[in-house]
Amino acid sequence: EAGVAQSPRYKIIEKRQSVAFWCNPISGHATLYWYQQILGQGPKLLIQFQNNGVVDDSQLPKDRFSAERLKGVDSTLKIQPAKLEDSAVYLCASRLQGANSPLHFGNGTRLTVT
Amino acid sequence: DQQVKQNSPSLSVQEGRISILNCDYTNSMFDYFLWYKKYPAEGPTFLISISSIKDKNEDGRFTVFLNKSAKHLSLHIVPSQPGDSAVYFCAANTNNNDMRFGAGTRLTVKP
């Protein structure tokens, strides 16, 4: 079984620029998550999709962050414009529909904003 | 919003001894708990989980204990091996599939 794929692995941008991350979840996984992990902290949920619908985006800074999962498979997360404090690892995860199953994570995209 | 807390940022143990990692939570709606292991430059990988209807789950060298009255979770690794050196995250899930993570504990197992 192929795992969760994310690209790019690394990205360096200047503040006020825009950036996009891509995620391809495990085949058949209906639920997809984007997490932000700042150095020394645990992953923080940004947005949760169920198929192509948003379940929870309460912690997404909507003035600069956006995410979509148009066909219920791949997802993109965008930041525009980026701030210095957005420097973090952005993790995508997926799980089978239903509770009591683990999330499967990709290797993440490390974003550095200078 | 610190609903899941890991108060020990680091732990060092000798190879062959027991490693005990602790986690506390505040939300009584959490009904599923997990431990993840993370190596540098990789995403977290699932290690072991426990449902709120149980108080213990064992998988090889790894055992997770749940004390619901104390809202406390622990992971025991016996015997510890150098390859277990990693950051361990505690996570908890509500019935709307919203999973929250602790800040992590860095485990170092010395040969």
Side-chain angles (χ1 to χ4, degrees):
Chain A
E1 177 182 78
V4 176
Q6 287 189 249
S7 67
R9 286 299 311 272
Y10 305 93
K11 190 73 177 178
I12 301 174
I13 61 172
E14 295 181 353
K15 59 184 179 183
R16 291 186 289 275
Q17 287 187 323
S18 63
V19 65
F21 312 126
W22 174 83
C23 172
N24 181 241
I26 292 173
S27 178
H29 282 197
T31 311
L32 184 147
Y33 305 76
W34 284 101
Y35 282 85
Q36 179 194 58
Q37 186 179 10
I38 292 172
L39 188 64
Q41 299 180 19
K44 172 191 164 187
L45 179 68
L46 292 175
I47 189 167
Q48 176 187 344
F49 291 94
Q50 183 76 22
N51 297 308
N52 61 351
V54 175
V55 174
D56 182 0
D57 64 355
S58 58
Q59 298 185 84
L60 188 73
K62 297 180 189 63
D63 58 333
R64 298 183 302 104
F65 285 65
S66 64
E68 59 184 14
R69 194 184 183 200
L70 293 176
K71 296 182 179 179
V73 181
D74 293 6
S75 177
T76 55
L77 176 69
K78 296 179 182 177
I79 308 175
Q80 181 179 8
K83 292 185 175 181
L84 295 176
E85 59 261 35
D86 298 332
S87 294
V89 175
Y90 290 84
L91 294 162
C92 179
S94 69
R95 81 197 295 187
L96 289 171
Q97 191 165 352
N100 291 11
S101 63
L103 268 62
H104 298 269
F105 284 88
N107 284 330
T109 297
R110 179 175 295 278
L111 173 68
T112 302
V113 182
T114 62
Chain B
D1 168 315
Q2 284 264 291
Q3 297 187 44
V4 180
K5 296 181 182 180
Q6 292 177 257
N7 292 319
S8 298
S10 63
L11 173 68
S12 182
V13 300
Q14 206 66 36
E15 181 179 6
R17 306 294 287 269
I18 185 172
S19 295
I20 300 176
L21 296 98
N22 294 302
C23 176
D24 297 295
Y25 62 95
T26 57
N27 189 343
S28 58
M29 297 302 293
F30 287 140
D31 58 5
Y32 180 58
F33 303 87
L34 309 90
W35 285 94
Y36 282 82
K37 178 178 179 179
K38 186 181 182 305
Y39 292 117
E42 295 183 10
T45 55
F46 169 68
L47 191 57
I48 192 168
S49 63
I50 187 167
S51 165
S52 60
I53 62 174
K54 295 185 175 182
D55 55 17
K56 177 182 174 182
N57 187 27
E58 190 172 351
D59 183 2
R61 296 185 298 112
F62 303 91
T63 303
V64 56
F65 295 92
L66 176 63
N67 182 334
K68 284 196 301 182
S69 61
K71 293 190 175 69
H72 180 80
L73 189 69
S74 64
L75 174 69
H76 292 208
I77 307 173
V78 181
S80 301
Q81 299 173 354
D84 296 329
S85 297
V87 177
Y88 288 79
F89 291 101
C90 170
N93 192 81
T94 62
N95 58 8
N96 68 352
N97 293 336
D98 179 2
M99 192 168 291
R100 303 294 174 117
F101 287 80
T105 297
R106 180 177 299 279
L107 173 66
T108 302
V109 180
K110 297 179 179 178

